[in-house]
Amino acid sequence: MSDLLYSEIENDLRAGVRELLDDTCAWPDVLAGTEKDDPCDIALWRALARMGTTGLPVPEDLGGAGATWRETAVVMEELGRAVAPVPFLGAAVLAAAALLEAGDRALLPGLASGERIAVLAVPLGTAPHAPTGGTVRASGGALTGRVAGVAGGQEADVLLVPASDGLYAVNAADAGRTPVTSLDMTRRLCDLTFSAAPAERIAGGAEAERAVRAALSTGAAMLASEQLGLAERCLAVTVEYLNTRYQFGRPVGSYQALKHRVADLWTSVAQMRAVARHAAGCAAAGDPGTAVAVAVAQAHCSAVVVRAAEECVQMHGGIGFTWEHPAHLYLKRAKSSALALGTPDRHRAALAALADLPPA
């Protein structure tokens, strides 16, 4: 069993990241960014890099902090709480995990410093146990094919592409990038096309397969922490509203029906914290039970974060449906993240297989 509590270092890290986000990532700014062609906040990304958060699990001799995925999970919680429009999941988690597993020493320093943004070129919905690399063909050091629905592809400098015979690095400028209309406007998607794009092989065969699988598994574990942060934010702003909004001379939160709904949600979020922290701890320790922990975390957290966002909208009444309130940002991120890196049903099926249960 991994430690579910937060260490002093993790709490200090959280305080620093939260202060930065409070100063630079207020929800009106996030909302305004969604109306731009490119909503990604590069200035915030650079600020996170200067804090050292973009290279937390990267070894110190490669320019990272030499920490673990537990610390990265704390950053993900804060980014989820703020619905921050930065490519952290794609670059600092998925791409970093793939390169760490592949033993790369060339790209990781630039990635850890935040000077370069790399993304793993797989559809955002790809589960850790789904087939990969089937849509891009490698031939003579060049890639040809298409990958749809990649998160962070527009902001990337380097694309890590699972291809027919390995994992390749491609200069993003050599790929075609077509923006896709996304439900979550703070994490936009794009389609990537490769037409004999020059590529450098990072890993081949089984090694490449392990790197991609490890990245997707770690990404799903970290995504659970992001969902936790968002659910906690939804719960907090809802409780604040219920305590300050009066109807018939009393706070609306004093009505028993709403109290029960909030209490039920608090219980679910507390359970969410346990499974998300356990998944992060297993990923950090390389625990043999990581696959089970990730499947449990994603099956639970994806459902709860959507419920938390829906309850936030509902209990805010009419204002929760307006463009002027951040509840719609929370709901769109929650819905999108529930489909990312495998749906809850996909993770439940994986969990059943891992537990050797018969098909339903």
Side-chain angles (χ1 to χ4, degrees):
M1 171 67 74
S2 58
D3 187 357
L4 302 183
L5 301 179
Y6 298 94
S7 68
E8 184 177 348
I9 291 176
E10 289 166 347
N11 282 326
D12 289 344
L13 174 63
R14 177 194 304 285
V17 174
R18 184 174 296 189
E19 183 178 359
L20 171 66
L21 293 172
D22 286 345
D23 291 341
T24 61
C25 192
W27 75 262
D29 298 330
V30 176
L31 178 60
T34 62
E35 297 181 346
K36 300 177 182 176
D37 291 338
D38 182 6
C40 179
D41 190 341
I42 291 299
L44 175 58
W45 169 259
R46 301 297 182 207
L48 288 166
R50 286 193 293 274
M51 290 184 68
T53 62
T54 53
L56 281 172
V58 177
E60 291 181 83
D61 65 337
L62 294 177
T68 74
W69 291 111
R70 279 179 58 99
E71 288 79 10
T72 302
V74 171
V75 178
M76 288 291 288
E77 285 182 29
E78 294 306 309
L79 295 176
R81 192 185 310 275
V83 200
V86 290
F88 199 90
L89 175 63
V93 176
L94 289 169
L99 292 172
L100 284 169
E101 182 68 22
D104 171 82
R105 298 187 65 84
L107 293 173
L108 274 172
L111 203 62
S113 68
E115 293 175 2
R116 305 184 79 186
I117 297 174
V119 301
L120 185 64
V122 297
L124 181 60
T126 306
H129 18 73
T132 60
T135 59
V136 178
R137 179 171 51 83
S139 178
L143 300 185
T144 300
R146 179 175 181 273
V147 184
V150 178
Q154 287 290 111
E155 297 83 32
D157 304 304
V158 180
L159 303 171
L160 306 180
V161 187
S164 52
D165 67 344
L167 178 64
Y168 288 80
V170 176
N171 189 330
D174 293 328
R177 294 184 281 187
T178 305
V180 175
T181 301
S182 311
L183 172 65
D184 178 9
M185 296 173 290
T186 62
R187 181 182 281 154
R188 291 195 178 176
L189 309 178
C190 74
D191 294 340
L192 302 174
T193 54
F194 305 94
S195 301
E200 181 177 348
R201 193 159 88 156
I202 298 172
E207 185 184 7
E209 180 74 13
R210 280 196 302 274
V212 175
R213 296 285 172 214
L216 293 172
S217 177
T218 303
M222 296 299 104
L223 181 63
S225 290
E226 183 193 279
Q227 292 168 321
L228 168 62
L230 178 56
E232 289 180 332
R233 178 65 172 266
C234 292
L235 181 60
V237 298
T238 301
V239 170
E240 180 182 4
Y241 179 79
L242 296 181
N243 283 330
T244 55
R245 171 66 172 164
Y246 276 66
Q247 283 288 346
F248 306 112
R250 53 191 285 197
V252 294
S254 65
Y255 291 98
Q256 192 174 42
L258 294 182
K259 283 183 179 179
H260 285 184
R261 286 170 66 171
V262 172
D264 287 345
L265 184 58
W266 182 90
T267 303
S268 296
V269 172
Q271 294 168 338
M272 191 180 186
R273 186 179 305 111
V275 295
R277 287 299 291 167
H278 180 56
C282 287
D287 191 290
T290 299
V292 171
V294 168
V296 170
Q298 272 301 306
H300 182 73
C301 294
S302 291
V304 175
V305 72
V306 171
R307 184 158 71 86
E310 289 176 341
E311 288 284 51
C312 180
V313 172
Q314 289 291 328
M315 283 193 264
H316 273 81
I319 195 174
F321 288 90
T322 67
W323 191 254
E324 287 74 20
H325 196 276
H328 68 94
L329 292 174
Y330 305 154
L331 182 61
K332 290 166 185 170
R333 171 63 70 89
K335 290 275 190 182
S336 173
S337 72
L339 301 176
L341 302 175
T343 64
D345 282 348
R346 189 77 185 246
H347 284 284
R348 278 191 284 270
L351 180 60
L354 290 166
D356 200 23
L357 295 176

